[in-house]
Amino acid sequence: MIKKYNLWKELRYNESYNSNLLDNYYLFKNISDTDQKKLRSKKYVYGFIDDGVYNHLDGKNISGFNELILKDFKDFSGLSIKYIRYNSLSKLLKDFNSNKVDFAMNIADSSKYNENIYTTTGVFNKKLVIVTGNSNKDIIDSIYSLKDKEVLTIKNSDLEKYLTDNNIKVVSYSNMKDLITDFKDDKVVLIDIENYNYYKSSALKDSKISYILDSNEKYNYVINNTDNNSIFKDLF
């Protein structure tokens, strides 16, 4: 009984805290009751591709780092979010640029977005690693060590652009799941370290980190900067 009471008390406290915080936000931003109602009346579409530890399907449900953040946001804001999974980043970008998707994790080449977008502050550290097969004996001490190699990446992603900007040949895939499935001992991958850790006991079990890139960048979210999302983007 005490455990149930403590759980109930914790849940009630969180609900009260979120409600008070949201009320103060509306008051501080001078958001009218009409605009609040309009904000709550919409179901916001989150588009994603299979992206390892950040976005993946667990049965029929989305799981990963992003779902943890979006769950907290839903609890705080009381807004409804619809999740749409895409087989490729290219298809996600097409729907995003057609205003069929409200927001997504920002992993695409920035030139692929329409001009009317809003990006949030950084959420996750973006630590990149060059991964090779365990038997690979090549010395890799910088991104330029990949000049004579083909590197696996995701089509239309920021990592694909980074590689091609440095004149490195790429083999591009629709999503992380397809890329990882095709990894062999003679392949080279530029990947986020969290995704490497996610796959290293399965699809990347016969691989190693050959080089860690220096980066102070962080992952964030990209939001369609439409009139319907004006309050949402600020709240998010």
Side-chain angles (χ1 to χ4, degrees), residues 113-147:
Y113 294 118
N114 59 35
E115 295 182 358
N116 196 25
I117 63 169
Y118 172 83
T119 54
T120 68
T121 57
V123 180
F124 308 114
N125 290 327
K126 188 176 184 179
K127 190 173 185 180
L128 303 177
V129 293
I130 297 172
V131 174
T132 61
N134 281 331
S135 64
N136 190 304
K137 304 299 182 183
D138 294 339
I139 297 174
I140 299 177
D141 54 13
S142 75
I143 192 70
Y144 303 107
S145 301
L146 304 176
K147 287 288 186 181

Side-chain angles (χ1 to χ4, degrees), residues 45-98:
V45 176
Y46 175 74
F48 70 98
I49 62 169
D50 286 322
D51 192 20
V53 73
Y54 295 100
N55 299 298
H56 63 271
L57 286 180
D58 184 6
K60 294 183 179 181
N61 300 314
I62 181 176
S63 296
F65 288 172
N66 283 311
E67 167 56 11
L68 296 176
I69 287 181
L70 295 182
K71 182 182 182 303
D72 284 346
F73 175 71
K74 288 188 294 183
D75 289 344
F76 158 66
S77 66
L79 301 183
S80 298
I81 295 177
K82 178 181 180 180
Y83 302 93
I84 297 183
R85 174 179 174 265
Y86 290 85
N87 291 325
S88 71
L89 184 56
S90 300
K91 291 180 180 178
L92 170 55
L93 282 166
K94 181 180 178 181
D95 274 7
F96 182 90
N97 289 332
S98 300

Side-chain angles (χ1 to χ4, degrees), residues 26 35-42 44 79 231-232:
Y26 289 145
D35 285 340
Q36 292 178 42
K37 185 176 181 180
K38 182 179 178 181
L39 175 71
R40 291 191 297 268
S41 67
K42 178 179 176 179
Y44 297 86
L79 301 183
I231 301 176
F232 173 80

Side-chain angles (χ1 to χ4, degrees), residues 149-191:
K149 307 182 187 306
E150 289 185 336
V151 181
L152 310 188
T153 187
I154 295 177
K155 185 174 180 60
N156 289 324
S157 68
D158 53 354
L159 296 189
E160 181 188 55
K161 178 172 173 53
Y162 173 70
L163 290 167
T164 55
D165 282 351
N166 283 286
N167 298 313
I168 295 169
K169 295 179 182 178
V170 299
V171 179
S172 299
Y173 295 81
S174 295
N175 54 63
M176 183 61 67
K177 185 178 180 180
D178 290 351
L179 184 158
I180 294 299
T181 300
D182 201 39
F183 180 82
K184 302 292 187 298
D185 191 66
D186 61 338
K187 303 287 188 179
V188 180
V189 180
L190 177 63
I191 193 174

